[in-house]
Amino acid sequence: TEAQPFLKIPELNVSSDDTILSIEPDSQQQETEEVIMNSNKDEENRLQEKIDQLTTVMSNGEIIKDFLDSTSHQLTYFGLHELHNHLAEQSICVFFRNNHFSTITKQNGILYLLVTDLGYANVSEVMWEKLDEINGNTEYTDVFFTKSELRQNMGAASGPSLSKELVLAQRSRSEADYQLALNLSKNGGNVI
């Protein structure tokens, strides 16, 4: 937008006998207008630069959001490939993903996670979860790494079950473990 010009007030030179000697534009006013017009251009340029910067930030933000949305499961195919390469057959390790620790093992070239979901606590045919996809599609196996045939009725399995008190105790213990891990990470491995 262009700034509105100031009122053009000419400078009137009048002699003592009231004769007009000259009518000239006010040079000071012209200089003032030029300074203001230039400062408006400078401000306009600064604003355009700021708009360009914000547009870039928004564009980068969209790229980052897309990346986070597509990798929210915190595992990539490259990462899965690296796990296969570095995990020895029949070894047991701790695996951290989605803010959760899991036990991971490799059996016959296949990666498995120990199922710790309380929803499966009383389902004897579910012990391990195959880790061959990054999107959560999974297959469950039994203790011998044989594919589980899940029951139609997911009632309680025979054997011990978890009482409400035991579930609450486990939740409390998990919170205590989390606080200890947090304290260790903040203090470089030293417990305070």
Side-chain angles (χ1 to χ4, degrees), residues 1 3 7 12 24 35-36 43 55 70 89 99 114 120 123 126 130 136 144 155 157 159 161 163 170 179 186 188:
T1 62
L7 295 175
L12 212 51
E24 299 176 8
V35 167
I36 290 172
E43 183 65 21
T55 302
S70 67
E89 191 69 28
N99 244 1
L114 183 65
Y120 291 103
V123 181
V126 174
K130 218 176 188 184
F144 302 108
S161 64
S163 67
Q170 285 181 340
Q179 292 300 328
K186 285 181 181 176

Side-chain angles (χ1 to χ4, degrees), residues 107-119:
Q107 300 291 324
N108 299 318
I110 300 171
L111 298 174
Y112 293 94
L113 297 173
L114 183 65
V115 175
T116 57
D117 188 330
L118 287 177

Side-chain angles (χ1 to χ4, degrees), residues 8 11 18 28 32 37 56 60 67 80-81 86 101 114 119 131 137-138 145-146 149 162 165 174 178 180 187 189:
K8 301 287 184 192
E11 186 177 306
D18 289 335
Q28 185 177 2
T32 303
M37 293 299 279
T56 301
N60 290 344
F67 171 78
L80 191 57
H81 179 74
H86 294 286
F101 289 101
L114 183 65
L131 182 60
N137 291 341
T138 191
F145 302 98
T146 304
E149 296 300 326
L162 296 174
E165 293 79 18
S174 294
Y178 170 75
L180 177 61
N187 298 307

Side-chain angles (χ1 to χ4, degrees), residues 131-147:
L131 182 60
D132 57 354
E133 289 291 329
I134 63 170
N135 59 5
N137 291 341
T138 191
E139 184 176 291
Y140 294 102
T141 67
D142 61 16
V143 69
F144 302 108
F145 302 98
T146 304
K147 183 178 176 181

Side-chain angles (χ1 to χ4, degrees), residues 147-172:
K147 183 178 176 181
S148 297
E149 296 300 326
L150 296 178
R151 295 178 262 154
Q152 294 299 322
N153 177 5
M154 291 300 283
S158 59
S161 64
L162 296 174
S163 67
K164 285 183 181 179
E165 293 79 18
L166 187 53
V167 170
L168 289 173
Q170 285 181 340
R171 184 178 298 150
S172 176

Side-chain angles (χ1 to χ4, degrees), residues 41-79:
K41 288 284 186 203
D42 290 344
E43 183 65 21
E44 197 174 302
N45 289 338
R46 279 194 297 273
L47 287 174
Q48 187 59 49
E49 286 176 18
K50 192 68 167 172
I51 288 170
D52 292 344
Q53 289 173 353
L54 291 173
T55 302
T56 301
V57 167
M58 284 176 46
S59 175
N60 290 344
E62 284 297 316
I63 292 169
I64 292 168
K65 182 184 179 307
D66 290 345
F67 171 78
L68 291 175
D69 288 345
S70 67
T71 61
S72 63
H73 35 72
Q74 297 181 352
L75 183 62
T76 62
Y77 283 110
F78 176 77

